[in-house]
Amino acid sequence: MRSHPHRPDGRAHRPAALVAGAVPLALALLVSGCEASTTSTAADARADDVFSSVRFTLGARGDIQVAGTSRTAVTPAGDRTVTGGRAYPFDRPPGKLLVVLRHWPSPSGQRAARDAVRLLPPPDDVAIESAYLVDTGDWALAELDGHPVQWLRRDTIRVDATKAGAVGRTHLTLSGPRGRRPGQVTPPPDDRACEGVDPAVNRFVVLPEVESGTPVPEVLARLRERCLDVQYVSMPGGVHRGTVWWIEIPVAGHTAPVAELPSTEGSPAQGRLPGDKILTDPSRPTTVIVIH
């Protein structure tokens, strides 16, 4: 066996192969470390891109504010005037969620002073619908004044603040999948039966059974079975917070009446009961009043 030559200090020379092999090893460690850091950074970047939450705040006179960690996912889609309770048919691109907020025009000048002591504008005022497109990517939970109302994906949600009063504020929050537990996602509604419904043509529907205190998802399912679009109103009162107080289904006619369920004395369409068939106007959304 051949021994390694010795240096003048008596120590053996280190084989060149070991020294040469240490360099690639060190480089490999550095490279692998960089790759791990890069991968982690990329993963963090992708996580930051996941929709988290956004909050819309508005009053009866508008003054819409958008806040939240995912507010950059929100794009204004325009403002339109609407009359007679009708909804403007905003375009919703594929993969986007459409938020439509109804309110009265912002007051100005002397009218602002008069409106300060008036809870609601006169009924002949022209309302405004402000639309926003939200890139949620996946399912998002909609909460109205802190109460869950429905899961959304590639859908439309409408909130009406015209009944909120002069000092009332309505809050709509959309929350993404972060922190969501399995089983919390509601399957998308099967709207195939509603594909042929023309929103410009009045049609007959059977009034559903609705009682005060019914959970919002139950009422929403009954309305969607009848191919009715909805808009939410959040109001104080009632008994069980976060549940439906009553609903208003539009009835076709020049005076824009509604069938109120459960029916109350003095309601515009008093006497209409669940199971009755009415001619409804699809251009006017059904209003779901939620207790906050």
mmCIF file with all atom_site columns, all heavy atoms in Angstrom, residues 36-62:
data_model
loop_
_atom_site.group_PDB
_atom_site.id
_atom_site.type_symbol
_atom_site.label_atom_id
_atom_site.label_alt_id
_atom_site.label_comp_id
_atom_site.label_asym_id
_atom_site.label_entity_id
_atom_site.label_seq_id
_atom_site.pdbx_PDB_ins_code
_atom_site.Cartn_x
_atom_site.Cartn_y
_atom_site.Cartn_z
_atom_site.occupancy
_atom_site.B_iso_or_equiv
_atom_site.pdbx_formal_charge
_atom_site.auth_seq_id
_atom_site.auth_comp_id
_atom_site.auth_asym_id
_atom_site.auth_atom_id
_atom_site.pdbx_PDB_model_num
ATOM 1   N N   . ALA A 1 36 ? -34.347 26.288 -2.033 1.00 0.00 ? 36 ALA A N   1
ATOM 2   C CA  . ALA A 1 36 ? -35.347 26.166 -0.975 1.00 0.00 ? 36 ALA A CA  1
ATOM 3   C C   . ALA A 1 36 ? -35.914 27.529 -0.636 1.00 0.00 ? 36 ALA A C   1
ATOM 4   O O   . ALA A 1 36 ? -37.125 27.696 -0.456 1.00 0.00 ? 36 ALA A O   1
ATOM 5   C CB  . ALA A 1 36 ? -34.727 25.537 0.266  1.00 0.00 ? 36 ALA A CB  1
ATOM 6   N N   . SER A 1 37 ? -35.013 28.531 -0.569 1.00 0.00 ? 37 SER A N   1
ATOM 7   C CA  . SER A 1 37 ? -35.476 29.872 -0.262 1.00 0.00 ? 37 SER A CA  1
ATOM 8   C C   . SER A 1 37 ? -36.374 30.404 -1.356 1.00 0.00 ? 37 SER A C   1
ATOM 9   O O   . SER A 1 37 ? -37.405 31.012 -1.105 1.00 0.00 ? 37 SER A O   1
ATOM 10  C CB  . SER A 1 37 ? -34.267 30.787 -0.067 1.00 0.00 ? 37 SER A CB  1
ATOM 11  O OG  . SER A 1 37 ? -34.667 32.120 0.120  1.00 0.00 ? 37 SER A OG  1
ATOM 12  N N   . THR A 1 38 ? -35.969 30.152 -2.632 1.00 0.00 ? 38 THR A N   1
ATOM 13  C CA  . THR A 1 38 ? -36.765 30.617 -3.762 1.00 0.00 ? 38 THR A CA  1
ATOM 14  C C   . THR A 1 38 ? -38.130 29.954 -3.778 1.00 0.00 ? 38 THR A C   1
ATOM 15  O O   . THR A 1 38 ? -39.156 30.594 -4.009 1.00 0.00 ? 38 THR A O   1
ATOM 16  C CB  . THR A 1 38 ? -36.020 30.338 -5.083 1.00 0.00 ? 38 THR A CB  1
ATOM 17  O OG1 . THR A 1 38 ? -34.745 30.955 -5.030 1.00 0.00 ? 38 THR A OG1 1
ATOM 18  C CG2 . THR A 1 38 ? -36.824 30.853 -6.265 1.00 0.00 ? 38 THR A CG2 1
ATOM 19  N N   . THR A 1 39 ? -38.136 28.641 -3.515 1.00 0.00 ? 39 THR A N   1
ATOM 20  C CA  . THR A 1 39 ? -39.406 27.919 -3.510 1.00 0.00 ? 39 THR A CA  1
ATOM 21  C C   . THR A 1 39 ? -40.319 28.441 -2.423 1.00 0.00 ? 39 THR A C   1
ATOM 22  O O   . THR A 1 39 ? -41.515 28.640 -2.627 1.00 0.00 ? 39 THR A O   1
ATOM 23  C CB  . THR A 1 39 ? -39.159 26.411 -3.293 1.00 0.00 ? 39 THR A CB  1
ATOM 24  O OG1 . THR A 1 39 ? -38.293 25.939 -4.318 1.00 0.00 ? 39 THR A OG1 1
ATOM 25  C CG2 . THR A 1 39 ? -40.469 25.641 -3.323 1.00 0.00 ? 39 THR A CG2 1
ATOM 26  N N   . SER A 1 40 ? -39.748 28.697 -1.241 1.00 0.00 ? 40 SER A N   1
ATOM 27  C CA  . SER A 1 40 ? -40.542 29.215 -0.133 1.00 0.00 ? 40 SER A CA  1
ATOM 28  C C   . SER A 1 40 ? -41.109 30.581 -0.469 1.00 0.00 ? 40 SER A C   1
ATOM 29  O O   . SER A 1 40 ? -42.267 30.874 -0.210 1.00 0.00 ? 40 SER A O   1
ATOM 30  C CB  . SER A 1 40 ? -39.689 29.289 1.130  1.00 0.00 ? 40 SER A CB  1
ATOM 31  O OG  . SER A 1 40 ? -40.404 29.867 2.193  1.00 0.00 ? 40 SER A OG  1
ATOM 32  N N   . THR A 1 41 ? -40.255 31.430 -1.075 1.00 0.00 ? 41 THR A N   1
ATOM 33  C CA  . THR A 1 41 ? -40.710 32.762 -1.449 1.00 0.00 ? 41 THR A CA  1
ATOM 34  C C   . THR A 1 41 ? -41.820 32.696 -2.475 1.00 0.00 ? 41 THR A C   1
ATOM 35  O O   . THR A 1 41 ? -42.809 33.428 -2.401 1.00 0.00 ? 41 THR A O   1
ATOM 36  C CB  . THR A 1 41 ? -39.526 33.585 -1.998 1.00 0.00 ? 41 THR A CB  1
ATOM 37  O OG1 . THR A 1 41 ? -38.503 33.633 -1.012 1.00 0.00 ? 41 THR A OG1 1
ATOM 38  C CG2 . THR A 1 41 ? -39.984 34.990 -2.369 1.00 0.00 ? 41 THR A CG2 1
ATOM 39  N N   . ALA A 1 42 ? -41.674 31.803 -3.455 1.00 0.00 ? 42 ALA A N   1
ATOM 40  C CA  . ALA A 1 42 ? -42.702 31.663 -4.484 1.00 0.00 ? 42 ALA A CA  1
ATOM 41  C C   . ALA A 1 42 ? -44.012 31.183 -3.873 1.00 0.00 ? 42 ALA A C   1
ATOM 42  O O   . ALA A 1 42 ? -45.093 31.641 -4.242 1.00 0.00 ? 42 ALA A O   1
ATOM 43  C CB  . ALA A 1 42 ? -42.231 30.682 -5.563 1.00 0.00 ? 42 ALA A CB  1
ATOM 44  N N   . ALA A 1 43 ? -43.892 30.243 -2.925 1.00 0.00 ? 43 ALA A N   1
ATOM 45  C CA  . ALA A 1 43 ? -45.105 29.740 -2.268 1.00 0.00 ? 43 ALA A CA  1
ATOM 46  C C   . ALA A 1 43 ? -45.784 30.847 -1.480 1.00 0.00 ? 43 ALA A C   1
ATOM 47  O O   . ALA A 1 43 ? -47.008 30.962 -1.484 1.00 0.00 ? 43 ALA A O   1
ATOM 48  C CB  . ALA A 1 43 ? -44.751 28.567 -1.349 1.00 0.00 ? 43 ALA A CB  1
ATOM 49  N N   . ASP A 1 44 ? -44.962 31.674 -0.802 1.00 0.00 ? 44 ASP A N   1
ATOM 50  C CA  . ASP A 1 44 ? -45.534 32.778 -0.054 1.00 0.00 ? 44 ASP A CA  1
ATOM 51  C C   . ASP A 1 44 ? -46.222 33.762 -0.981 1.00 0.00 ? 44 ASP A C   1
ATOM 52  O O   . ASP A 1 44 ? -47.282 34.310 -0.665 1.00 0.00 ? 44 ASP A O   1
ATOM 53  C CB  . ASP A 1 44 ? -44.452 33.509 0.745  1.00 0.00 ? 44 ASP A CB  1
ATOM 54  C CG  . ASP A 1 44 ? -43.904 32.637 1.874  1.00 0.00 ? 44 ASP A CG  1
ATOM 55  O OD1 . ASP A 1 44 ? -44.596 31.670 2.249  1.00 0.00 ? 44 ASP A OD1 1
ATOM 56  O OD2 . ASP A 1 44 ? -42.785 32.918 2.368  1.00 0.00 ? 44 ASP A OD2 1
ATOM 57  N N   . ALA A 1 45 ? -45.608 33.996 -2.163 1.00 0.00 ? 45 ALA A N   1
ATOM 58  C CA  . ALA A 1 45 ? -46.205 34.919 -3.128 1.00 0.00 ? 45 ALA A CA  1
ATOM 59  C C   . ALA A 1 45 ? -47.535 34.394 -3.622 1.00 0.00 ? 45 ALA A C   1
ATOM 60  O O   . ALA A 1 45 ? -48.508 35.138 -3.765 1.00 0.00 ? 45 ALA A O   1
ATOM 61  C CB  . ALA A 1 45 ? -45.239 35.150 -4.306 1.00 0.00 ? 45 ALA A CB  1
ATOM 62  N N   . ARG A 1 46 ? -47.580 33.068 -3.887 1.00 0.00 ? 46 ARG A N   1
ATOM 63  C CA  . ARG A 1 46 ? -48.847 32.488 -4.350 1.00 0.00 ? 46 ARG A CA  1
ATOM 64  C C   . ARG A 1 46 ? -49.898 32.561 -3.254 1.00 0.00 ? 46 ARG A C   1
ATOM 65  O O   . ARG A 1 46 ? -51.075 32.800 -3.527 1.00 0.00 ? 46 ARG A O   1
ATOM 66  C CB  . ARG A 1 46 ? -48.635 31.035 -4.781 1.00 0.00 ? 46 ARG A CB  1
ATOM 67  C CG  . ARG A 1 46 ? -47.888 30.882 -6.097 1.00 0.00 ? 46 ARG A CG  1
ATOM 68  C CD  . ARG A 1 46 ? -48.021 29.453 -6.609 1.00 0.00 ? 46 ARG A CD  1
ATOM 69  N NE  . ARG A 1 46 ? -47.452 28.489 -5.687 1.00 0.00 ? 46 ARG A NE  1
ATOM 70  C CZ  . ARG A 1 46 ? -46.186 28.090 -5.723 1.00 0.00 ? 46 ARG A CZ  1
ATOM 71  N NH1 . ARG A 1 46 ? -45.364 28.591 -6.631 1.00 0.00 ? 46 ARG A NH1 1
ATOM 72  N NH2 . ARG A 1 46 ? -45.731 27.205 -4.859 1.00 0.00 ? 46 ARG A NH2 1
ATOM 73  N N   . ALA A 1 47 ? -49.485 32.361 -2.000 1.00 0.00 ? 47 ALA A N   1
ATOM 74  C CA  . ALA A 1 47 ? -50.429 32.435 -0.887 1.00 0.00 ? 47 ALA A CA  1
ATOM 75  C C   . ALA A 1 47 ? -50.993 33.843 -0.758 1.00 0.00 ? 47 ALA A C   1
ATOM 76  O O   . ALA A 1 47 ? -52.159 34.040 -0.447 1.00 0.00 ? 47 ALA A O   1
ATOM 77  C CB  . ALA A 1 47 ? -49.747 32.009 0.410  1.00 0.00 ? 47 ALA A CB  1
ATOM 78  N N   . ASP A 1 48 ? -50.110 34.856 -1.000 1.00 0.00 ? 48 ASP A N   1
ATOM 79  C CA  . ASP A 1 48 ? -50.566 36.234 -0.908 1.00 0.00 ? 48 ASP A CA  1
ATOM 80  C C   . ASP A 1 48 ? -51.568 36.568 -1.993 1.00 0.00 ? 48 ASP A C   1
ATOM 81  O O   . ASP A 1 48 ? -52.385 37.479 -1.846 1.00 0.00 ? 48 ASP A O   1
ATOM 82  C CB  . ASP A 1 48 ? -49.373 37.197 -0.997 1.00 0.00 ? 48 ASP A CB  1
ATOM 83  C CG  . ASP A 1 48 ? -48.477 37.094 0.237  1.00 0.00 ? 48 ASP A CG  1
ATOM 84  O OD1 . ASP A 1 48 ? -48.972 36.623 1.279  1.00 0.00 ? 48 ASP A OD1 1
ATOM 85  O OD2 . ASP A 1 48 ? -47.294 37.470 0.146  1.00 0.00 ? 48 ASP A OD2 1
ATOM 86  N N   . ASP A 1 49 ? -51.517 35.823 -3.121 1.00 0.00 ? 49 ASP A N   1
ATOM 87  C CA  . ASP A 1 49 ? -52.433 36.076 -4.222 1.00 0.00 ? 49 ASP A CA  1
ATOM 88  C C   . ASP A 1 49 ? -53.815 35.478 -3.974 1.00 0.00 ? 49 ASP A C   1
ATOM 89  O O   . ASP A 1 49 ? -54.767 35.812 -4.672 1.00 0.00 ? 49 ASP A O   1
ATOM 90  C CB  . ASP A 1 49 ? -51.859 35.498 -5.535 1.00 0.00 ? 49 ASP A CB  1
ATOM 91  C CG  . ASP A 1 49 ? -50.633 36.294 -6.005 1.00 0.00 ? 49 ASP A CG  1
ATOM 92  O OD1 . ASP A 1 49 ? -50.506 37.449 -5.569 1.00 0.00 ? 49 ASP A OD1 1
ATOM 93  O OD2 . ASP A 1 49 ? -49.834 35.745 -6.767 1.00 0.00 ? 49 ASP A OD2 1
ATOM 94  N N   . VAL A 1 50 ? -53.940 34.572 -2.996 1.00 0.00 ? 50 VAL A N   1
ATOM 95  C CA  . VAL A 1 50 ? -55.218 33.945 -2.714 1.00 0.00 ? 50 VAL A CA  1
ATOM 96  C C   . VAL A 1 50 ? -56.159 34.977 -2.112 1.00 0.00 ? 50 VAL A C   1
ATOM 97  O O   . VAL A 1 50 ? -55.779 35.729 -1.214 1.00 0.00 ? 50 VAL A O   1
ATOM 98  C CB  . VAL A 1 50 ? -55.039 32.756 -1.754 1.00 0.00 ? 50 VAL A CB  1
ATOM 99  C CG1 . VAL A 1 50 ? -56.394 32.171 -1.370 1.00 0.00 ? 50 VAL A CG1 1
ATOM 100 C CG2 . VAL A 1 50 ? -54.171 31.691 -2.396 1.00 0.00 ? 50 VAL A CG2 1
ATOM 101 N N   . PHE A 1 51 ? -57.393 35.009 -2.611 1.00 0.00 ? 51 PHE A N   1
ATOM 102 C CA  . PHE A 1 51 ? -58.374 35.970 -2.109 1.00 0.00 ? 51 PHE A CA  1
ATOM 103 C C   . PHE A 1 51 ? -58.638 35.720 -0.631 1.00 0.00 ? 51 PHE A C   1
ATOM 104 O O   . PHE A 1 51 ? -58.892 34.588 -0.216 1.00 0.00 ? 51 PHE A O   1
ATOM 105 C CB  . PHE A 1 51 ? -59.670 35.856 -2.902 1.00 0.00 ? 51 PHE A CB  1
ATOM 106 C CG  . PHE A 1 51 ? -60.734 36.816 -2.463 1.00 0.00 ? 51 PHE A CG  1
ATOM 107 C CD1 . PHE A 1 51 ? -60.741 38.125 -2.916 1.00 0.00 ? 51 PHE A CD1 1
ATOM 108 C CD2 . PHE A 1 51 ? -61.721 36.419 -1.574 1.00 0.00 ? 51 PHE A CD2 1
ATOM 109 C CE1 . PHE A 1 51 ? -61.715 39.020 -2.494 1.00 0.00 ? 51 PHE A CE1 1
ATOM 110 C CE2 . PHE A 1 51 ? -62.699 37.301 -1.150 1.00 0.00 ? 51 PHE A CE2 1
ATOM 111 C CZ  . PHE A 1 51 ? -62.695 38.603 -1.613 1.00 0.00 ? 51 PHE A CZ  1
ATOM 112 N N   . SER A 1 52 ? -58.560 36.770 0.165  1.00 0.00 ? 52 SER A N   1
ATOM 113 C CA  . SER A 1 52 ? -58.772 36.648 1.604  1.00 0.00 ? 52 SER A CA  1
ATOM 114 C C   . SER A 1 52 ? -60.106 37.258 2.009  1.00 0.00 ? 52 SER A C   1
ATOM 115 O O   . SER A 1 52 ? -61.058 36.545 2.329  1.00 0.00 ? 52 SER A O   1
ATOM 116 C CB  . SER A 1 52 ? -57.624 37.320 2.364  1.00 0.00 ? 52 SER A CB  1
ATOM 117 O OG  . SER A 1 52 ? -57.851 37.245 3.761  1.00 0.00 ? 52 SER A OG  1
ATOM 118 N N   . SER A 1 53 ? -60.212 38.584 1.994  1.00 0.00 ? 53 SER A N   1
ATOM 119 C CA  . SER A 1 53 ? -61.483 39.218 2.357  1.00 0.00 ? 53 SER A CA  1
ATOM 120 C C   . SER A 1 53 ? -61.523 40.647 1.852  1.00 0.00 ? 53 SER A C   1
ATOM 121 O O   . SER A 1 53 ? -60.491 41.309 1.683  1.00 0.00 ? 53 SER A O   1
ATOM 122 C CB  . SER A 1 53 ? -61.688 39.201 3.879  1.00 0.00 ? 53 SER A CB  1
ATOM 123 O OG  . SER A 1 53 ? -60.742 40.034 4.518  1.00 0.00 ? 53 SER A OG  1
ATOM 124 N N   . VAL A 1 54 ? -62.744 41.123 1.624  1.00 0.00 ? 54 VAL A N   1
ATOM 125 C CA  . VAL A 1 54 ? -62.967 42.511 1.238  1.00 0.00 ? 54 VAL A CA  1
ATOM 126 C C   . VAL A 1 54 ? -64.309 42.933 1.824  1.00 0.00 ? 54 VAL A C   1
ATOM 127 O O   . VAL A 1 54 ? -65.232 42.114 1.944  1.00 0.00 ? 54 VAL A O   1
ATOM 128 C CB  . VAL A 1 54 ? -62.948 42.677 -0.307 1.00 0.00 ? 54 VAL A CB  1
ATOM 129 C CG1 . VAL A 1 54 ? -64.125 41.970 -0.971 1.00 0.00 ? 54 VAL A CG1 1
ATOM 130 C CG2 . VAL A 1 54 ? -62.944 44.140 -0.688 1.00 0.00 ? 54 VAL A CG2 1
ATOM 131 N N   . ARG A 1 55 ? -64.399 44.198 2.195  1.00 0.00 ? 55 ARG A N   1
ATOM 132 C CA  . ARG A 1 55 ? -65.603 44.691 2.853  1.00 0.00 ? 55 ARG A CA  1
ATOM 133 C C   . ARG A 1 55 ? -66.123 45.938 2.162  1.00 0.00 ? 55 ARG A C   1
ATOM 134 O O   . ARG A 1 55 ? -65.368 46.897 1.946  1.00 0.00 ? 55 ARG A O   1
ATOM 135 C CB  . ARG A 1 55 ? -65.316 45.007 4.331  1.00 0.00 ? 55 ARG A CB  1
ATOM 136 C CG  . ARG A 1 55 ? -66.559 45.339 5.154  1.00 0.00 ? 55 ARG A CG  1
ATOM 137 C CD  . ARG A 1 55 ? -66.174 45.720 6.568  1.00 0.00 ? 55 ARG A CD  1
ATOM 138 N NE  . ARG A 1 55 ? -67.316 45.686 7.475  1.00 0.00 ? 55 ARG A NE  1
ATOM 139 C CZ  . ARG A 1 55 ? -67.295 46.153 8.712  1.00 0.00 ? 55 ARG A CZ  1
ATOM 140 N NH1 . ARG A 1 55 ? -66.176 46.669 9.191  1.00 0.00 ? 55 ARG A NH1 1
ATOM 141 N NH2 . ARG A 1 55 ? -68.365 46.085 9.486  1.00 0.00 ? 55 ARG A NH2 1
ATOM 142 N N   . PHE A 1 56 ? -67.415 45.916 1.805  1.00 0.00 ? 56 PHE A N   1
ATOM 143 C CA  . PHE A 1 56 ? -68.088 47.070 1.228  1.00 0.00 ? 56 PHE A CA  1
ATOM 144 C C   . PHE A 1 56 ? -68.950 47.701 2.325  1.00 0.00 ? 56 PHE A C   1
ATOM 145 O O   . PHE A 1 56 ? -69.718 47.016 2.989  1.00 0.00 ? 56 PHE A O   1
ATOM 146 C CB  . PHE A 1 56 ? -68.975 46.664 0.059  1.00 0.00 ? 56 PHE A CB  1
ATOM 147 C CG  . PHE A 1 56 ? -68.252 46.044 -1.098 1.00 0.00 ? 56 PHE A CG  1
ATOM 148 C CD1 . PHE A 1 56 ? -67.999 44.675 -1.117 1.00 0.00 ? 56 PHE A CD1 1
ATOM 149 C CD2 . PHE A 1 56 ? -67.829 46.812 -2.166 1.00 0.00 ? 56 PHE A CD2 1
ATOM 150 C CE1 . PHE A 1 56 ? -67.333 44.096 -2.180 1.00 0.00 ? 56 PHE A CE1 1
ATOM 151 C CE2 . PHE A 1 56 ? -67.163 46.235 -3.233 1.00 0.00 ? 56 PHE A CE2 1
ATOM 152 C CZ  . PHE A 1 56 ? -66.909 44.871 -3.247 1.00 0.00 ? 56 PHE A CZ  1
ATOM 153 N N   . THR A 1 57 ? -68.832 49.015 2.481  1.00 0.00 ? 57 THR A N   1
ATOM 154 C CA  . THR A 1 57 ? -69.641 49.750 3.441  1.00 0.00 ? 57 THR A CA  1
ATOM 155 C C   . THR A 1 57 ? -70.352 50.867 2.702  1.00 0.00 ? 57 THR A C   1
ATOM 156 O O   . THR A 1 57 ? -69.730 51.615 1.954  1.00 0.00 ? 57 THR A O   1
ATOM 157 C CB  . THR A 1 57 ? -68.768 50.340 4.566  1.00 0.00 ? 57 THR A CB  1
ATOM 158 O OG1 . THR A 1 57 ? -68.068 49.281 5.227  1.00 0.00 ? 57 THR A OG1 1
ATOM 159 C CG2 . THR A 1 57 ? -69.623 51.076 5.587  1.00 0.00 ? 57 THR A CG2 1
ATOM 160 N N   . LEU A 1 58 ? -71.669 50.976 2.904  1.00 0.00 ? 58 LEU A N   1
ATOM 161 C CA  . LEU A 1 58 ? -72.431 52.023 2.235  1.00 0.00 ? 58 LEU A CA  1
ATOM 162 C C   . LEU A 1 58 ? -73.618 52.438 3.085  1.00 0.00 ? 58 LEU A C   1
ATOM 163 O O   . LEU A 1 58 ? -74.056 51.702 3.983  1.00 0.00 ? 58 LEU A O   1
ATOM 164 C CB  . LEU A 1 58 ? -72.921 51.563 0.859  1.00 0.00 ? 58 LEU A CB  1
ATOM 165 C CG  . LEU A 1 58 ? -74.085 50.565 0.818  1.00 0.00 ? 58 LEU A CG  1
ATOM 166 C CD1 . LEU A 1 58 ? -74.820 50.687 -0.524 1.00 0.00 ? 58 LEU A CD1 1
ATOM 167 C CD2 . LEU A 1 58 ? -73.601 49.145 1.014  1.00 0.00 ? 58 LEU A CD2 1
ATOM 168 N N   . GLY A 1 59 ? -74.124 53.639 2.804  1.00 0.00 ? 59 GLY A N   1
ATOM 169 C CA  . GLY A 1 59 ? -75.313 54.145 3.464  1.00 0.00 ? 59 GLY A CA  1
ATOM 170 C C   . GLY A 1 59 ? -76.430 54.320 2.460  1.00 0.00 ? 59 GLY A C   1
ATOM 171 O O   . GLY A 1 59 ? -76.294 53.994 1.275  1.00 0.00 ? 59 GLY A O   1
ATOM 172 N N   . ALA A 1 60 ? -77.559 54.852 2.919  1.00 0.00 ? 60 ALA A N   1
ATOM 173 C CA  . ALA A 1 60 ? -78.701 55.052 2.031  1.00 0.00 ? 60 ALA A CA  1
ATOM 174 C C   . ALA A 1 60 ? -78.377 56.021 0.899  1.00 0.00 ? 60 ALA A C   1
ATOM 175 O O   . ALA A 1 60 ? -78.966 55.953 -0.175 1.00 0.00 ? 60 ALA A O   1
ATOM 176 C CB  . ALA A 1 60 ? -79.896 55.564 2.838  1.00 0.00 ? 60 ALA A CB  1
ATOM 177 N N   . ARG A 1 61 ? -77.421 56.931 1.147  1.00 0.00 ? 61 ARG A N   1
ATOM 178 C CA  . ARG A 1 61 ? -77.015 57.899 0.132  1.00 0.00 ? 61 ARG A CA  1
ATOM 179 C C   . ARG A 1 61 ? -75.677 57.538 -0.518 1.00 0.00 ? 61 ARG A C   1
ATOM 180 O O   . ARG A 1 61 ? -74.970 58.394 -1.028 1.00 0.00 ? 61 ARG A O   1
ATOM 181 C CB  . ARG A 1 61 ? -76.916 59.288 0.764  1.00 0.00 ? 61 ARG A CB  1
ATOM 182 C CG  . ARG A 1 61 ? -78.262 59.913 1.116  1.00 0.00 ? 61 ARG A CG  1
ATOM 183 C CD  . ARG A 1 61 ? -79.080 60.216 -0.121 1.00 0.00 ? 61 ARG A CD  1
ATOM 184 N NE  . ARG A 1 61 ? -80.307 60.960 0.189  1.00 0.00 ? 61 ARG A NE  1
ATOM 185 C CZ  . ARG A 1 61 ? -81.165 61.386 -0.727 1.00 0.00 ? 61 ARG A CZ  1
ATOM 186 N NH1 . ARG A 1 61 ? -80.930 61.144 -2.002 1.00 0.00 ? 61 ARG A NH1 1
ATOM 187 N NH2 . ARG A 1 61 ? -82.250 62.016 -0.377 1.00 0.00 ? 61 ARG A NH2 1
ATOM 188 N N   . GLY A 1 62 ? -75.319 56.281 -0.474 1.00 0.00 ? 62 GLY A N   1
ATOM 189 C CA  . GLY A 1 62 ? -74.084 55.848 -1.130 1.00 0.00 ? 62 GLY A CA  1
ATOM 190 C C   . GLY A 1 62 ? -72.888 55.931 -0.200 1.00 0.00 ? 62 GLY A C   1
ATOM 191 O O   . GLY A 1 62 ? -72.841 55.236 0.801  1.00 0.00 ? 62 GLY A O   1
#
